Amino acid sequence: AVAGRKVSVGVLRAELAKKLGLESTEFRLVHHASPVTDETCISALVSERSDAVQLYMLKHTSLARHEAASVAEWQTVAATLRNFEVDDEAAHGQLTSFLDKYPAMINLQMPISAGEGFKPLLGFAVEGAPSMNSRQGCVDELLRRGARVRIRHRQGFLLEQAEESGSAFVEFLQNKEKEFAAYETAAINAWRAVSSKLCGETGEQIDDEDTMTGIVHRFCKAHPEMVNFQSNHAIGPNDIPYGYFGYAPLISFAGAAACRRRRGGGEKTEKVRQGS
């Protein structure tokens, strides 16, 4: 690329992004000998004896592209899990490959397409299953990696949906719900303690950001399968949420600046809950 000495690296990066069809946030330019920022001028990088400078492009996937790719793969896996014409071994291979890449999406609930209900991967694996052999390997893999048995969205609990669909896994899931009850109860209680502190809907206000970040860090380390879990700390009978958050992941509560201020939290700044 040709650029004048007074051009900044940021301007050069923006022009390269246009030419290459990339987002400027998906790469940065580095120099072999000098630190480079967007404000660095090309003149600071060239020698007195040459007008040429060599910069290296370091590419990385933007968060937007990463999330779009992960959601598309999640939907593909969910569609495979509920297609019982695909044998369990083939579905299991696809499932494990996905969870190796995106382990935190194991309890995420989404529809496959518009108009469908929100379900986790375990829901797609068991609802309507004609026999346990049709998805036993997948179900065992999901449970081994932390899929929750007691999980719900607007249409009801996973086990209720399995019963209504005539799933062959109903009795198996009933036993697993009892087996995992102590851990799942402790995990959801810990989740709700974090969500309430993030948004300030608690008697224990956390205004110190390092303290709040530590709480989130310890929770995510103890319960990595709950990072994208969707629920609420404001719940009525049968764990049905009320209030404007509805079924939400922790990151939604972290962004609730107005909610924190109503309850005596500090002013909104770019640093509030950034660490969390």
Side-chain angles (χ1 to χ4, degrees), residues 52-106:
V53 62
Q54 191 170 37
L55 296 174
Y56 298 89
M57 178 187 288
L58 295 183
K59 290 184 66 179
H60 56 270
T61 302
S62 68
L63 184 58
R65 286 182 186 261
H66 173 80
E67 289 187 346
S70 65
V71 166
E73 290 189 46
W74 185 97
Q75 291 173 325
T76 298
V77 172
T80 296
L81 288 173
R82 76 173 179 183
N83 179 6
F84 297 106
E85 293 183 3
V86 179
D87 66 67
D88 188 41
E89 184 177 354
H92 180 265
Q94 188 176 342
L95 174 66
T96 54
S97 177
F98 171 79
L99 291 175
D100 286 345
K101 288 174 66 178
Y102 307 108
M105 295 181 75
I106 191 165

Side-chain angles (χ1 to χ4, degrees), residues 51 58 138 175 186 234 241:
D51 287 330
L58 295 183
C138 292
N175 290 331

